[in-house]
Amino acid sequence: MVRRLEAQGITDTRVLEVMRRIPRHLFIANSLWDHAYADHPVPIDRGQTISQPYIVALMTQALQLEKSDRVLEIGTGSGYQTAILAELARHVYTIERFAELSEKAQRLLAGYTNIRFRVGDGTLGWPEEAPFEKIIVTAAAPEVPAALVEQLAESGRLVIPVGGRQLQTLVALTKEGKRLRREELCACSFLPLIGEEGWPDEETWLQHLL
Ligand code: SAH
């Protein structure tokens, strides 16, 4: 998997080293282990997916993590990305909307002492612990949630997929005073970020379509 990531243009050796070390299959159901190291997303519970390795690597590299960073992650999911962040930063604060997914990730990551978990709407961030040097959102937002921009430290980086409910652009934003510098990384397709500053939930969305 890591050799493929290098061929795909991932150059940050710290990211590659951590991804070589963390057993990705442990975050996936036994019946899907054949897919654990393949370059595509894999289903987890609650209709969600663990992101494909290339996207995980690209987002982590784009954060430009420092060992001293406090990182906010929105969308704990399986906890795989959370583990990578915990290896490369000082502290990780991770929010998941489904309690069931958060609890499973908490059990898997019990060995880490630098992760805090919260169940709730990540589009509102974690104001009590702000500012964060880095913020990563692993679900697709219609627009960059204002609360997250507010909770980003000066010179901090925010990596987030922004766009439609099906297709988005992965962007890296850097806070420069009142401005946000924007770099576009690639086209991508994430599951929707559902919350107050995200998309409406499935039920409300269906009613809107009918
Ligand atoms: N990084 C995870 C990605 C999981 S998919 C992994 O690789 O396993 C995206 C996750 O975002 C899902 O678990 C989904 O439930 C969660 N999510 C969606 N909207 C959210 C919100 N507003 N707050 C917190 N989590 C959210």
Side-chain angles (χ1 to χ4, degrees):
M1 177 185 84
V2 169
R3 265 200 303 275
R4 193 176 51 227
L5 292 174
E6 286 178 286
Q8 286 168 311
I10 302 296
T11 53
D12 188 327
T13 51
R14 293 168 312 158
V15 175
L16 294 168
E17 187 273 320
V18 167
M19 289 184 72
R20 189 174 288 123
R21 207 149 36 80
I22 296 179
R24 185 170 154 93
H25 63 277
L26 296 185
F27 298 83
I28 291 170
N30 302 16
S31 57
L32 295 171
W33 274 8
D34 281 356
H35 300 271
Y37 298 91
D39 201 25
H40 53 71
V42 179
I44 55 173
D45 294 338
R46 302 303 303 250
Q48 304 301 309
T49 60
I50 176 171
S51 301
Q52 85 186 77
Y54 173 68
I55 291 290
V56 172
L58 187 68
M59 291 180 90
T60 312
Q61 174 170 282
L63 281 177
Q64 299 174 2
L65 290 168
E66 306 273 349
K67 203 58 207 162
S68 57
D69 284 344
R70 293 166 71 253
V71 185
L72 175 65
E73 177 191 36
I74 312 303
T76 314
S78 66
Y80 177 65
Q81 172 80 71
T82 319
I84 295 171
L85 298 170
E87 294 279 347
L88 294 169
R90 176 153 64 98
H91 213 109
V92 183
Y93 299 82
T94 184
I95 310 180
E96 169 57 50
R97 112 179 231 266
F98 291 120
E100 190 183 320
L101 293 180
S102 178
E103 283 157 17
K104 200 170 198 174
Q106 289 182 43
R107 282 196 298 277
L108 277 170
L109 302 175
Y112 288 92
T113 53
N114 62 339
I115 306 175
R116 276 182 63 194
F117 296 85
R118 177 180 265 191
V119 174
D121 180 4
T123 66
L124 305 174
W126 194 320
E128 303 88 337
E129 295 293 345
F132 301 94
E133 280 80 33
K134 306 288 157 66
I135 301 180
I136 175 171
V137 183
T138 64
E143 279 172 60
V144 181
L148 300 185
V149 173
E150 208 165 289
Q151 293 171 32
L152 188 63
E154 176 59 24
S155 309
R157 282 172 75 80
L158 165 56
V159 176
I160 180 170
V162 188
R165 207 160 157 129
Q166 312 287 343
L167 282 174
Q168 310 90 30
T169 306
L170 190 58
V171 300
L173 303 165
T174 309
K175 198 172 199 173
E176 295 176 342
K178 288 206 182 320
R179 286 192 51 232
L180 277 180
R181 185 159 52 82
R182 178 187 166 106
E183 293 156 61
E184 298 195 347
L185 304 176
C186 64
C188 56
S189 180
F190 279 79
L191 289 167
L193 178 73
I194 290 170
E196 220 168 286
E197 289 195 49
W199 294 99
D201 64 26
E202 291 81 352
E203 216 169 288
T204 320
W205 179 251
L206 278 176
Q207 276 163 9
H208 160 92
L209 287 179
L210 294 174

